[in-house]
Amino acid sequence: MNAAVSLLEEARRLSDQLIAWRRHLHAHPELSFEEWQTADFIEGVLGRWPAIQTRRVHQTGVVADIVTDPAGPWVALRADIDALPIQEVARPHASQKANHMHACGHDAHTAMLLGAIALLYAHRAAWRGGIRCLFQPGEEKAPGGASLLIQEGVLDEVPIRAIFGQHVTPSLPVGTIGLRAGPFMAASDELHITLVGRGGHAAHPHLVRDPIWVAAQLITSLQGVVSRLNDPRSPTVLSFGVFQGGTAPNVIPETVQLAGTLRTFDESWRQQAIAHITRLTHTLAAAWEVTPHLTWKPGYPVLTNDSQLVSFVEATAQEMGLQVEEMPLWLSSEDFAFYGQRVPACFIRLGTASDNPDTQSPVHTSRFDIDEGALPIGAALLARLAIQYLQNARS
Ligand code: NI
């Protein structure tokens, strides 16, 4: 039996513990940047291993360093820990808090990183260097806990050469992981537009400046950024989810509110698209004598996987007997992307689906669940990646 397979077997013997950690976290979810009890729980578990140096970062984040040689090399593992404002369906082990739910599997991410630490600690004679484990708050809420932890120096205090993270994935079965080299998940930016015209009687359009009519043209016109200005080889989405204005059929309102999201896969094009949308909004509004107020709320950047790390993860997963699938581009966004802007990074999709239909329900839904058979796989994979990476880095 190779070392990777035997680590997976060892993780499977920890299954009861992994499930207990995950179910505790699942029953007690906390929203982004309010993960106080979650952080206490993580610190409590880490207290089992006194040689691990732990500290709080940005209030509800926990950094845990396992070190066998402070001179390095160093590698980082990341789990996000926050939950969502969703009411979970009634079932065993459901959330005990109304309208709070681990509907994106971050409970599992946390339990698996704790499991990986247990394995790394048990095997610390097998590797030399440092492993920084990041229990990161606020993945679900802008500006993203990752950006705040980076600002607080988590990537600068020790020379981290690579970072790995994983995410539960209901479109993949347990025993399969999904990878993609290069751009993988989209950058997302929010735009909010208010068009201010001149209201009046709807029977006299020549006496008003109709912001509803201008907003309709603007929404249509801005799709030209996607279809005419963008290189079609780089997928782009511009969707408006808010179009609000008016109170009566025969009254032209003063203002219309629009809000939408822009998704892109190239950082240079992302900035150009923002500039085009801003320019067109001002030009079109000026042409029809309506005043635009446009604000952008920057979201997460493009998540880009380092191609050498992807090959390394693929080889390591196959050594463990896992199936590896190449993933399509993913239009949702992830704040793990911020780490990848600073150090070589690889984000792994971990299969968590089984025959239970709830495990096939998409993330961010009230039915979403995971097959807990995935927990030892994710824990062993993270541990094995760290050990193998450090061994390779020294050889
Ligand atoms: Ni998530």
Side-chain angles (χ1 to χ4, degrees):
M1 192 188 298
N2 70 44
V5 173
S6 88
L7 199 68
L8 179 54
E9 303 256 304
E10 199 176 327
R12 289 208 164 103
R13 290 195 290 275
L14 296 176
S15 279
D16 289 350
Q17 178 66 85
L18 293 167
I19 290 169
W21 286 333
R22 186 256 165 173
R23 289 187 185 176
H24 174 88
L25 292 162
H26 193 83
H28 303 93
E30 293 175 297
L31 301 182
S32 307
F33 302 114
E34 298 171 10
E35 307 94 335
W36 300 101
Q37 290 174 7
T38 305
D40 287 346
F41 176 80
I42 292 164
E43 284 185 323
V45 173
L46 293 171
R48 297 176 178 200
W49 305 294
I52 297 179
Q53 302 152 29
T54 71
R55 68 182 169 89
R56 287 289 181 99
V57 60
H58 202 78
Q59 300 179 319
T60 53
V62 180
V63 178
D65 288 336
I66 323 172
V67 187
T68 58
D69 181 356
W74 280 78
V75 66
L77 304 173
R78 174 273 206 168
D80 42 9
I81 65 172
D82 54 329
L84 287 159
I86 292 176
Q87 176 65 48
E88 185 169 5
V89 296
R91 59 187 170 196
H93 321 298
S95 167
Q96 293 176 13
K97 279 173 151 174
N99 294 317
H100 288 55
M101 177 185 174
H102 269 294
C104 201
H106 301 184
D107 51 342
H109 302 167
T110 305
M112 291 188 288
L113 185 51
L114 288 170
I117 290 171
L119 297 168
L120 291 165
Y121 193 81
H123 289 269
R124 61 196 185 284
W127 54 272
R128 304 287 300 152
I131 300 170
R132 170 155 285 195
C133 299
L134 299 171
F135 293 91
Q136 179 216 298
E139 192 284 321
E140 302 282 3
K141 190 171 183 179
S147 66
L148 300 171
L149 264 55
I150 291 168
Q151 277 173 29
E152 294 197 14
V154 297
L155 296 182
D156 302 318
E157 296 151 344
V158 290
I160 290 165
R161 293 199 193 177
I163 184 166
F164 301 95
Q166 61 184 347
H167 203 293
V168 302
T169 304
S171 61
L172 295 175
V174 173
T176 295
I177 65 160
L179 291 171
R180 185 178 183 87
F184 179 16
M185 294 178 68
S188 77
D189 295 288
E190 255 181 41
L191 71 160
H192 296 257
I193 302 172
T194 302
L195 296 176
V196 183
R198 190 164 71 239
H201 200 300
H204 309 300
H206 57 299
L207 300 179
V208 306
R209 289 294 175 261
D210 182 354
I212 289 191
W213 181 73
V214 176
Q217 289 197 58
L218 181 62
I219 285 184
T220 308
S221 178
L222 289 179
Q223 284 306 319
V225 175
V226 179
S227 70
R228 303 291 86 184
L229 297 174
N230 176 45
D231 181 334
R233 292 168 295 186
S234 178
T236 299
V237 175
L238 175 64
S239 293
F240 283 89
V242 174
F243 187 145
Q244 285 173 345
T247 52
N250 58 355
V251 179
I252 304 289
E254 288 287 318
T255 64
V256 167
Q257 318 273 351
L258 303 175
T261 181
L262 173 70
R263 306 285 162 124
T264 51
F265 283 95
D266 177 275
E267 283 297 323
S268 150
W269 163 243
R270 178 189 183 195
Q271 298 312 322
Q272 290 173 47
I274 288 171
H276 283 309
I277 291 166
T278 305
R279 174 178 58 79
L280 284 163
T281 301
H282 283 97
T283 307
L284 195 87
W288 293 104
E289 299 181 325
V290 161
T291 305
H293 300 281
L294 187 154
T295 49
W296 287 95
K297 286 189 185 164
Y300 303 156
V302 181
L303 187 149
T304 302
N305 273 344
D306 180 271
S307 53
Q308 283 184 359
L309 287 186
V310 167
S311 303
F312 166 68
V313 173
E314 181 175 12
T316 305
Q318 283 167 345
E319 213 187 340
M320 292 178 77
L322 304 177
Q323 299 296 312
V324 180
E325 271 188 29
E326 188 184 10
M327 300 305 283
L329 289 172
W330 208 269
L331 268 304
S332 55
S333 62
E334 232 305 329
D335 75 347
F336 187 81
F338 286 113
Y339 300 114
Q341 290 186 320
R342 296 287 305 276
V343 293
C346 185
F347 196 60
I348 302 158
R349 309 296 315 199
L350 179 76
T352 49
S354 67
D355 292 340
N356 174 353
D358 287 1
T359 67
Q360 298 165 26
S361 179
V363 297
H364 295 217
T365 63
S366 60
R367 292 215 75 84
F368 167 79
D369 201 357
I370 63 157
D371 187 292
E372 289 171 327
L375 295 173
I377 296 172
L381 181 62
L382 286 181
R384 185 65 200 158
L385 288 171
I387 293 171
Q388 191 66 54
Y389 187 88
L390 294 179
Q391 288 177 349
N392 293 354
R394 292 182 83 91
S395 62

